[in-house]
Amino acid sequence: MRNTRTKSLPAGRRLPLAFALAAILGIALFALTACASGGNGEGGADSASSDPIEIATKPMTEQYILGEMLKALVEDAGYEANVTKGIGGGTNNIQPAMERGDFDLYPEYTSSGWVLVLDHKAEGVDDAEMLEKLKEEYQANFGMTWVGMYGFNNTFTVAVRDEVAQQHNLKTTSDLAAVAPELVFGGNPDYIEREDGFPVLTETYGLTFKQVMDIDIGLKYQALRNGDIDVTNGFTTDAQLAAGGVTTLEDDKHLQVNYFCSTVVRQDALDSHPGLEEALMKMDGILSDKEMAELNYKVEVEGQDEATVARDFLVSKGLLKG
């Protein structure tokens, strides 16, 4: 801190004693204030923003749970946090809101960011390379980054009834080809019709089923367990997979792109909230596909509160105190 000197005035022009004391006191207070604020214009640890962290989620159970996990960890780091639940349009509406600064962070899936935000093709890049390029391009284009990989992969899967899997020793989707002519496939109409859904599945694996049925997305697992159908499409973290009675087959030809989940966060939020990145990194590697499906089941099927489910899970992992 620079020394401050007072200049003597000529005789007959000296300040009255009260004014001189006030001047000295003012200089002392200024010096103390400068020291407290860092003195060189740079904020210290006490300069952290008091603005709450704004979290967005997509309109799906999984995202509601993840949003509550992120909120709990942010609050545990000493910051206020708000969750805006279930934004319609998902990535297509959340990303522009992130760019405007309406939100600071949200849970996102790697291939969604790669295809929907960066407009790349999903094929031809492995997962490690994709993540590095996501970080580079989000930082360069939007001033954002990806922090922590939760561990689970919410992608398409083929599910068969347990009895069918055991009877025919089905472990991979390739195994299904030999017995498909004896089986009934039931799937939700959009999957059966979409170009990257049922048509490419059957072409890639050489599948010809005895019958193909349109089944409402909310009823297909019930139809599977009831024996009305033998095979269906699903996602690897579907809540109903945790209820048992269903076997998922390995995508051994790597047809489906991966949707690993991570936190997309604005860089300015990380910069203005010391410790935020460390708090978000606590999500790294904590969830398997099975664990995510089980949490979804607790909320969707058992009707438990997503905030309670989220917190209990973090406590069980030793990331929060009970």
Side-chain angles (χ1 to χ4, degrees):
M1 184 172 62
R2 188 174 57 190
N3 290 329
T4 304
R5 297 184 181 182
T6 56
K7 185 177 180 180
S8 297
L9 294 173
R13 295 180 59 190
R14 297 188 183 279
L15 291 172
L17 179 60
F19 282 91
L21 290 173
I24 293 170
L25 180 60
I27 291 169
L29 288 172
F30 175 82
L32 287 171
T33 301
C35 289
S37 64
N40 57 1
E42 297 175 1
D46 294 336
S47 66
S49 172
S50 60
D51 293 338
I53 297 295
E54 298 295 338
I55 302 169
T57 63
K58 301 182 184 185
M60 50 194 286
T61 302
E62 181 168 291
Q63 287 265 315
Y64 301 157
I65 297 168
L66 295 172
E68 293 296 341
M69 286 187 187
L70 292 168
K71 181 177 187 288
L73 291 173
V74 169
E75 290 176 340
D76 189 58
Y79 297 108
E80 182 183 348
N82 301 316
V83 177
T84 300
K85 179 178 168 180
I87 295 175
T91 299
N92 290 329
N93 286 330
I94 295 176
Q95 177 63 25
M98 288 278 291
E99 293 176 30
R100 292 192 303 268
D102 297 343
F103 300 109
D104 298 300
L105 58 92
Y106 79 109
E108 182 57 287
Y109 305 91
T110 50
S111 287
S112 296
W114 186 251
V115 175
L116 297 177
V117 177
L118 299 180
D119 199 28
H120 295 312
K121 291 186 177 181
E123 301 80 12
V125 57
D126 66 33
D127 295 320
E129 181 184 0
M130 180 183 288
L131 180 59
E132 287 308 306
K133 289 185 177 293
L134 280 168
K135 289 180 177 180
E136 291 173 9
E137 295 185 35
Y138 266 68
Q139 191 68 260
N141 296 331
F142 313 118
M144 303 176 197
T145 190
W146 294 62
V147 177
M149 297 295 287
Y150 305 163
F152 71 89
N153 177 23
N154 187 353
T155 190
F156 289 114
T157 190
V158 175
V160 299
R161 199 167 59 257
D162 275 352
E163 306 94 270
V164 174
Q166 292 162 9
Q167 179 183 351
H168 300 287
N169 193 30
L170 302 179
K171 299 185 182 302
T172 69
T173 310
S174 290
D175 293 338
L176 192 58
V179 296
E182 305 172 31
L183 306 177
V184 175
F185 183 95
N188 46 293
D190 60 339
Y191 176 77
I192 291 175
E193 295 167 8
R194 61 187 287 171
E195 187 177 336
D196 62 343
F198 188 71
V200 73
L201 173 71
T202 54
E203 180 182 352
T204 301
Y205 283 100
L207 304 176
T208 303
F209 291 98
K210 179 171 69 175
Q211 184 182 357
V212 177
M213 299 173 56
D214 286 352
I215 301 287
D216 183 89
I217 193 168
L219 300 175
K220 62 184 183 180
Y221 284 110
Q222 180 181 336
L224 189 67
R225 291 190 177 90
N226 289 345
D228 299 327
I229 60 175
D230 304 300
V231 188
T232 191
N233 63 289
F235 290 95
T236 49
T237 60
D238 280 348
Q240 292 288 350
L241 294 178
V246 178
T247 298
T248 57
L249 302 182
E250 179 190 346
D251 178 20
D252 52 304
K253 292 189 177 181
H254 308 290
L255 168 64
Q256 308 297 346
V257 296
N258 292 323
Y259 290 81
F260 292 102
C261 201
S262 176
T263 306
V264 171
V265 56
R266 289 175 57 92
Q267 185 63 48
D268 59 4
L270 294 178
D271 293 340
S272 60
H273 295 80
L276 176 60
E277 184 168 6
E278 290 79 3
L280 298 178
M281 274 300 294
K282 291 182 179 181
M283 292 285 289
D284 191 56
I286 67 169
L287 279 159
S288 65
D289 294 359
K290 182 180 178 183
E291 286 172 320
M292 192 69 250
E294 288 171 348
L295 298 182
N296 288 336
Y297 185 85
K298 288 181 179 181
V299 175
E300 281 186 26
V301 180
E302 296 179 353
Q304 296 188 39
D305 175 68
E306 57 257 23
T308 302
V309 168
R311 185 170 189 87
D312 287 349
F313 181 79
L314 293 176
V315 169
S316 75
K317 293 289 183 176
L319 299 175
L320 290 179
K321 294 180 180 178

